[in-house]
Amino acid sequence: MTDPIADGDAIDLLEYEGRAVSEILAAFSDDSLDRSQHGEVVKLLVEHLAVRQVAREELADALSGVPALADLERRLRDEVPERRAELRRLDELTRGVEPINVNQGQGTDAVVARVRPRLEEEIDFDLDELVPALRRRLTDRQRARLPSARYIRRHAPTHPGAHGRRWYDRIGPLLRLHAVYDHLRGFPTGGVKPSAEVDAARSSSAGRSRPTS
């Protein structure tokens, strides 16, 4: 495990979380893990899915109103209610549950298996096309206005609203409280950010210095 780029922005974080979720899904299929280890993988998946989702929505909001980037904004907003519903369901199945008991009667593994194909397809698109397009097409001034990776990770609730960002999701302190509440409720030893990071490969373009929001 390793910390993600500390000085990155929302684009860097979207790439990191895509690679991290891919690594977690690979571990999900590892039959050598015992029940407790497998449960830890599932709980870690929930945490990182939450950060990835907020990164996508923060980027979509940042591109809003820029006609030249409307196609990228639409892609970032694709199926937001579905992704939020999946995250909410996984959070409900795992919150406050000891890792060894994560898949005992709740059907958690079945939910992960159901969402996995679509998720992997979306991540492949993000890494191969969307992230490079964002880096290529945003001006330096536009990119400098993006929220930092640090800000997003500290404002990523695991139990988001069902249909989209609510009014208070755009008010940093209130969203921070929501994220803290969700993590303390579901991951009491994990703090208010993912409780473990994934040693995911990073592109040479990651890690650009950005101001912290």
Side-chain angles (χ1 to χ4, degrees):
M1 299 295 182
T2 183
D3 286 335
I5 40 183
D7 58 354
D9 62 17
I11 299 175
D12 298 324
L13 186 63
L14 179 60
E15 179 184 29
Y16 168 80
E17 291 299 339
R19 297 186 187 281
V21 170
S22 293
E23 293 291 333
I24 294 169
L25 289 173
F28 176 81
S29 300
D30 187 347
D31 294 334
S32 70
L33 299 183
D34 61 28
R35 279 174 46 197
S36 181
Q37 292 169 329
H38 182 78
E40 290 173 354
V41 167
V42 175
K43 290 173 78 72
L44 191 59
L45 176 64
V46 176
E47 295 180 283
H48 281 275
L49 284 177
V51 177
R52 178 176 177 271
Q53 185 61 36
V54 173
R56 290 177 65 85
E57 294 182 31
E58 286 281 357
L59 280 166
D61 285 353
L63 302 186
S64 178
V66 183
L69 302 174
D71 58 320
L72 299 181
E73 181 192 355
R74 284 194 298 270
R75 182 67 193 196
L76 287 162
R77 295 197 192 280
D78 276 353
E79 300 183 331
V80 165
E82 290 83 358
R83 303 294 81 80
R84 281 175 163 250
E86 292 164 359
L87 178 56
R88 285 170 62 89
R89 182 58 177 153
L90 286 170
D91 174 63
E92 289 164 359
L93 291 171
T94 58
R95 72 169 70 141
V97 179
E98 291 294 328
I100 197 170
N101 296 322
V102 160
N103 199 44
Q104 300 304 302
Q106 301 100 315
T108 310
D109 278 8
V111 175
V112 174
R114 185 171 68 248
V115 305
R116 181 175 184 171
R118 186 279 319 156
L119 181 59
E120 290 180 326
E121 180 180 347
E122 188 175 85
I123 288 172
D124 285 345
F125 180 87
D126 285 356
L127 297 180
D128 294 341
E129 300 186 44
L130 182 59
V131 167
L134 287 166
R135 288 197 169 113
R136 184 175 64 252
R137 293 172 57 184
L138 266 68
T139 66
D140 289 343
R141 184 175 181 180
Q142 288 168 334
R143 191 160 181 186
R145 294 174 178 171
L146 295 178
S148 70
R150 186 188 305 275
Y151 175 89
I152 293 171
R153 293 174 71 245
R154 294 171 66 86
H155 295 79
T158 58
H159 200 260
H163 301 295
R165 306 188 86 190
R166 293 163 290 198
W167 64 269
Y168 55 79
D169 287 337
R170 292 176 171 81
I171 301 177
L174 294 182
L175 183 58
R176 169 72 168 162
L177 287 175
H178 186 180
V180 169
Y181 173 73
D182 282 355
H183 281 268
L184 291 179
R185 179 184 59 183
F187 307 90
T189 62
V192 291
K193 62 181 182 179
S195 54
E197 302 306 336
V198 178
D199 190 7
R202 301 175 190 140
S203 75
S204 59
S205 57
R208 295 169 58 183
S209 178
R210 293 291 160 192
T212 299
S213 298

